Amino acid sequence: MKKLVLTTAFLLSILSVQAQEFFSDKRPVQSANEFTKKVNDISYDIDLIIKNNKEKLKQDLNEIDQKVENNQLTKAEADKLRNEKAEFYAKQIEGETKIQEDKIKVLINNKIEDNINFSTDMSAYQKQLIENKSLFIAEYVFGNSKMLFDDKSKDNYVSTNFLSSFGVGLGAKTRIGKDESSFFWKSMLDANFHFFKLQNDKTFENINGETVFIDLDSPVKKSRMFSTEIKWSNYIEYDFSKHKTDDFGNKIIKSRQSFYIGLGGFIGYNQISRGLIYDKNGEEYNERTQARFNSNPFIYGVGGYIGYQNFNIRATYNLNPVFKNSISNQNIFNIALVLELL
């Protein structure tokens, strides 16, 4: 019986320690503590079973010794009775502890099953922490456009309001290289609209293959130039976001959590049109004319941006002039606030 008691206590102590070590790094701390507490409670119940049966055996053995002293039992009868009592309480301990040991087995089986389910869930959860290499982007652009003349000695006939352009875009950005790379390739298809005011009652016209600014015969209320661009833009972006970790130590890999910058360029198509509101013979006329106006339909340029999370400031410059032949080269420079939705 002594061998049985020592073996049971030893196994329970090992089980309690190993269970805590095995599960504590795979489950939240509270779950591991709950499991260990239940194992310890069962171990305590087993200790009580062993202690109570040992006390009962001790009492019975004392009674047998007393009967031997009183000559109620012979030594042979007493030895036989002692062995019977020892075997009886050994079986009692074995039976009662088995019930408790079965409880521990159930706990361990449930724990292993929970751990397998948790591992499966964790794998899916870990995948969610890593951003897809390619992300769809929709952007809205609000900015200011300027018409830059290369001949500063000439009058600048064009001006703009503070908000003189807007646009929309669809595209994607793709992480370059490994999952933790900070470099991205961003490719967008953009539609941008620029609005320019013509000053001094002037408009523009294609005369003999040259785009010139002319005066109107009638009083002008509004004279406008419109540029509609369809562009394919490509940028290399560097993201300064630092990778964080969750409560389990898993790395969270997501972009646009901090500042980022991008440099690149674009190619595309440009359509020029003009708008006039003027008085003639007491009538107000509102005209919108779309024509070539000797403009360059093919456009190309450079751009760059700096941003934080979903917002960035972007600047673009058209390298080719608006018109093929004019009083001077005019190039569109735009600076805009961009809202990007990923």
Side-chain angles (χ1 to χ4, degrees):
M1 184 185 70
K2 183 178 296 183
K3 181 178 180 182
L4 173 65
V5 171
L6 293 175
T7 302
T8 303
F10 177 73
L11 290 176
L12 284 173
S13 64
I14 293 177
L15 175 63
S16 176
V17 173
Q18 289 187 341
Q20 184 174 8
E21 292 178 351
F22 180 75
F23 292 108
S24 61
D25 61 340
K26 298 183 181 292
R27 297 289 285 176
V29 174
Q30 181 62 30
S31 179
N33 287 343
E34 289 177 357
F35 174 79
T36 305
K37 182 179 183 299
K38 290 179 180 179
V39 172
N40 288 337
D41 289 343
I42 295 174
S43 178
Y44 178 75
D45 291 339
I46 291 176
D47 289 339
L48 285 180
I49 291 171
I50 295 172
K51 180 180 179 182
N52 291 336
N53 281 278
K54 285 177 65 178
E55 289 179 353
K56 290 179 181 179
L57 175 61
K58 184 178 180 181
Q59 291 176 0
D60 288 352
L61 292 178
N62 289 335
E63 291 179 0
I64 293 173
D65 291 340
Q66 188 65 40
K67 288 181 179 180
V68 171
E69 291 180 4
N70 296 333
N71 296 320
Q72 294 177 321
L73 288 174
T74 65
K75 183 177 183 302
E77 291 174 336
D79 290 340
K80 181 181 178 181
L81 192 56
R82 289 190 186 96
N83 290 333
E84 290 176 354
K85 290 292 183 181
E87 290 179 2
F88 171 78
Y89 286 110
K91 290 181 180 179
Q92 284 288 103
I93 292 174
E94 184 179 359
E96 293 179 19
T97 55
K98 186 178 184 304
I99 296 174
Q100 303 301 320
E101 289 170 358
D102 289 341
K103 291 181 181 180
I104 292 179
K105 290 179 181 179
V106 171
L107 280 177
I108 292 176
N109 290 334
N110 291 340
K111 192 67 174 176
I112 292 174
E113 184 177 350
D114 289 345
N115 190 64
I116 293 173
N117 294 334
F118 180 81
S119 297
T120 303
D121 295 340
M122 178 62 78
S123 297
Y125 168 70
Q126 287 173 331
K127 291 180 180 178
Q128 295 177 357
L129 298 180
I130 301 176
E131 184 178 71
N132 293 333
K133 295 202 74 170
S134 295
L135 296 175
F136 175 79
I137 298 177
E139 67 177 23
Y140 301 90
V141 185
F142 306 91
N144 176 264
S145 295
K146 295 186 180 297
M147 189 79 74
L148 303 182
F149 287 70
D150 67 347
D151 190 344
K152 296 182 180 179
S153 64
K154 295 184 177 295
D155 294 332
N156 189 341
Y157 300 108
V158 181
S159 65
T160 58
N161 294 324
F162 177 76
L163 182 61
S164 55
S165 72
F166 73 90
V168 293
L170 295 174
K173 75 183 188 78
T174 302
R175 192 182 295 270
I176 301 173
K178 299 180 180 179
D179 290 338
E180 298 184 21
S181 173
S182 298
F183 287 93
F184 295 83
W185 169 44
K186 188 175 77 169
S187 184
M188 302 291 297
L189 184 63
D190 307 302
N192 294 293
F193 308 92
H194 308 277
F195 311 93
F196 303 96
K197 295 190 298 182
L198 273 69
Q199 303 181 84
N200 306 320
D201 294 338
K202 292 184 181 294
T203 187
F204 58 96
E205 188 64 76
N206 180 13
I207 300 177
N208 297 325
E210 181 182 14
T211 304
V212 295
F213 292 92
I214 61 173
D215 295 313
L216 292 175
D217 296 334
S218 304
V220 179
K221 288 187 175 180
K222 289 184 179 180
S223 179
R224 296 286 187 269
M225 177 190 297
F226 304 100
S227 172
T228 303
E229 299 175 338
I230 304 297
K231 301 189 299 185
W232 179 41
S233 306
N234 288 275
Y235 295 91
I236 297 297
E237 179 180 309
Y238 182 82
D239 197 322
F240 293 95
S241 300
K242 300 296 183 182
H243 299 313
K244 300 179 180 179
T245 57
D246 65 2
D247 294 337
F248 299 100
N250 299 304
K251 188 170 288 187
I252 302 172
I253 302 175
K254 292 188 182 296
S255 60
R256 299 291 179 89
Q257 302 301 301
S258 183
F259 289 97
Y260 53 91
I261 59 173
L263 293 173
F266 59 86
I267 59 174
Y269 173 80
N270 182 35
Q271 174 65 58
I272 295 293
S273 60
R274 71 183 183 190
L276 288 172
I277 300 177
Y278 61 92
D279 290 327
K280 186 175 182 180
N281 300 326
E283 298 286 339
E284 182 177 281
Y285 291 83
N286 191 335
E287 295 181 357
R288 178 72 178 261
T289 306
Q290 182 171 303
R292 294 289 297 273
F293 293 113
N294 194 37
S295 64
N296 282 309
F298 175 74
I299 59 173
Y300 57 92
V302 294
Y305 56 87
I306 181 170
Y308 180 79
Q309 295 187 351
N310 287 52
F311 293 92
N312 65 74
I313 301 295
R314 184 171 67 200
T316 59
Y317 179 73
N318 292 31
L319 292 173
N320 60 326
V322 177
F323 301 106
K324 296 178 181 178
N325 186 19
S326 183
I327 56 174
S328 69
N329 290 334
Q330 299 106 35
N331 301 79
I332 296 177
F333 174 75
N334 176 260
I335 184 166
L337 173 66
V338 182
L339 169 62
E340 291 188 347
L341 304 177
L342 282 73

